[in-house]
Amino acid sequence: MIVPQFWAEGRIQERVAGKQVTVRRYGWSDDSPLAAQAHADQRTREAFERIVQGEKLERRERKLAYNGANGVPIREEIVERQGDTVITRNGYGARCLNTPDVLFVDIDFEEPLRGSVFAFALVPALIAGVVGGWAAKTWLGGLIAFFVVFAVAWVIGQRKKRGQPSGNPAPEKLAAERIGRFMHQHPDWHLRIYRTPAGFRVLAMHDVFSPGDMSVADCFQAMGVDKVYARMCRNQNCFRARVSAKPWRVGIGEHMRPQPGVWPVSPDKLPVRDAWIARYEKAAEGHAACQYLESVGNSERVHPNARAVQELHDERTRALSGLPLA
C-alpha cells in the first residue's frame, strides 16, 4: 500500500516522424515535491519511449483518487497516520481508513447503481409510455405514463446511486446468511460485524492478510463483496473502510469544492476546500459511519495489528456511540 504525500505531473512534447507526440504521467513521493517531479519526469520519459516504439499506451493518465491505472497509488489528502494505517479524505470529502494487511469486508445489501441515473429511469419510462399509449389508445395516455414512471424511477435511481437501502429486508437476510455460512466453514476465524447505512462491514481480528491472498478472494466471493471494492483492494494492495459520514446523509448537498475533489489542489483553491470541509466535519459530528453489532468465531484469536486497527476504526467511526448512521 502506497499513499504518497506529494504529487507532480510530467510532460513531454516532441515531434516524431513528422507528428507531434505529447505524453503526460504522474509521479509521487513521500520525501518532497522535487522528488515527486523527478519521479513524474522519469515515468513520462519511459512512457514516451514505449509509445514511440509502437506500444498502444494512453498518452495521458486520468487524475483519479484510486482504482485507476494499475501501479498508481491512492491519491488522496492524508489526514492522519497511525503506524502503517493511513486515514485519507476521499473524493467526496469523507475520511477513509487504509490498511495494508487488516482485512475489512464491505458487503452492500443491494448492488449500487454504477451507470447513469437518466439511463436507469429512461428504459422503464419508455416501456410504460408505449404500453400506456396502446392501452389508452391515445398519445396523451402514453405521455402521462412515461413521465410518471420516469419520475418514480429517477428517485429510485438516485437512491441506488448513493447506496441508500430500499427497505427491502430480503437482501439483508441473504447477506447475514452468507456470513453465517462462511463462519460455519471457518470456525477458527474471529470476525467483528458492523452495520453500515447500506450493508454490513466485517473486520477480521484473528490474523493479517495480503490483499492478493487466495483466502481473501475466497472470503470476498463467499460473502458477496462489492466488486468495485474487491478490485480496489487488489489494485491498491490495501483494505479500506469509510470512517466518517457521507456528506449527503448529513445535509451537505453540494459536492466538495473545488471539483473534482482529487488531491492535491492548487493553493489558491485551498480556502474554498477548507471551508467546505469545516462545514462537513461539523455536520458529521452527530453521526456514526457504522455501528458495532457482534463478534463471531474464535474470539480468543486476536492479532495485535488487527487490534490496533480495530481500536482506531471504532473510535473514528463512533461505532459504539449509538449515534445515527450516515
Side-chain angles (χ1 to χ4, degrees):
M1 181 184 81
I2 305 174
V3 188
Q5 187 79 39
F6 303 104
W7 286 84
E9 186 178 26
R11 180 177 181 271
I12 293 178
Q13 186 176 69
E14 296 180 7
R15 296 193 69 82
V16 178
K19 295 183 179 180
Q20 185 170 279
V21 177
T22 303
V23 178
R24 294 180 174 88
R25 288 293 186 271
Y26 289 109
W28 53 87
S29 172
D30 276 330
D31 297 328
S32 68
L34 287 177
Q37 188 63 60
H39 185 229
D41 294 342
Q42 174 193 341
R43 293 187 72 237
T44 306
R45 175 54 63 182
E46 291 172 354
F48 180 87
E49 292 175 355
R50 291 171 63 185
I51 289 171
V52 168
Q53 290 170 7
E55 285 195 51
K56 300 296 184 182
L57 300 178
E58 295 289 338
R59 301 290 180 92
R60 182 173 189 170
E61 287 177 333
R62 294 176 61 196
K63 187 177 179 182
L64 298 173
Y66 68 93
N67 206 31
N70 289 334
V72 178
I74 296 172
R75 183 185 182 127
E76 295 177 342
E77 178 188 8
I78 296 173
V79 178
E80 180 181 0
R81 290 185 186 269
Q82 296 281 349
D84 289 337
T85 302
V86 182
I87 294 180
T88 58
R89 191 173 304 281
N90 70 12
Y92 57 76
R95 286 173 278 116
C96 292
L97 182 153
N98 305 271
T99 169
D101 57 6
V102 177
L103 173 59
F104 282 95
V105 183
D106 185 22
I107 307 170
D108 288 333
F109 295 154
E110 301 168 30
E111 186 72 20
L113 180 64
R114 303 297 181 197
S116 162
V117 176
F118 179 81
F120 175 84
L122 182 62
V123 173
L126 286 173
I127 295 172
V130 171
V131 173
W134 177 82
K137 300 190 183 330
T138 170
W139 66 267
L140 182 58
L143 194 63
I144 292 172
F146 173 87
F147 281 112
V148 169
V149 172
F150 185 87
V152 173
W154 178 269
V155 172
I156 294 173
Q158 290 281 12
R159 290 176 62 85
K160 288 177 69 67
K161 190 75 172 179
R162 295 187 170 192
Q164 296 174 334
S166 66
N168 181 1
E172 180 174 354
K173 181 181 178 182
L174 291 174
E177 289 174 350
R178 287 195 298 268
I179 296 173
R181 284 195 298 269
F182 181 85
M183 287 308 303
H184 180 73
Q185 297 167 356
H186 302 81
D188 57 328
W189 283 43
H190 173 197
L191 303 181
R192 285 173 66 88
I193 302 175
Y194 301 83
R195 183 68 160 84
T196 66
F200 290 131
R201 175 177 298 170
V202 178
L203 168 58
M205 297 294 297
H206 61 287
D207 205 352
V208 291
F209 300 82
S210 167
D213 287 348
M214 184 58 66
S215 58
V216 171
D218 291 343
C219 175
F220 281 176
Q221 182 175 7
M223 293 195 187
V225 163
D226 175 73
K227 293 181 177 61
V228 172
Y229 176 76
R231 186 166 64 249
M232 184 279 300
C233 290
R234 291 192 301 270
N235 287 353
Q236 301 300 338
N237 199 35
C238 78
F239 302 102
R240 183 172 170 95
R242 179 176 55 83
V243 295
S244 68
K246 289 188 174 180
W248 53 87
R249 291 179 178 153
V250 293
I252 307 294
E254 63 176 8
H255 293 291
M256 180 167 64
R257 298 290 187 261
Q259 279 286 298
V262 181
W263 188 257
V265 301
S266 59
D268 61 304
K269 295 180 179 178
L270 276 176
V272 68
R273 175 186 171 93
D274 291 342
W276 186 97
I277 290 173
R279 188 159 64 91
Y280 159 74
E281 291 289 359
K282 184 174 179 59
E285 284 179 357
H287 297 79
C290 65
Q291 178 186 15
Y292 170 70
L293 297 178
E294 62 176 330
S295 294
V296 296
N298 187 355
S299 60
E300 294 183 359
R301 293 187 64 194
V302 179
H303 193 283
N305 288 12
R307 173 65 74 192
V309 170
Q310 175 253 312
E311 291 174 351
L312 179 64
H313 167 270
D314 287 5
E315 180 181 349
R316 298 299 185 270
T317 59
R318 302 182 176 98
L320 305 176
S321 66
L323 292 170
L325 297 178

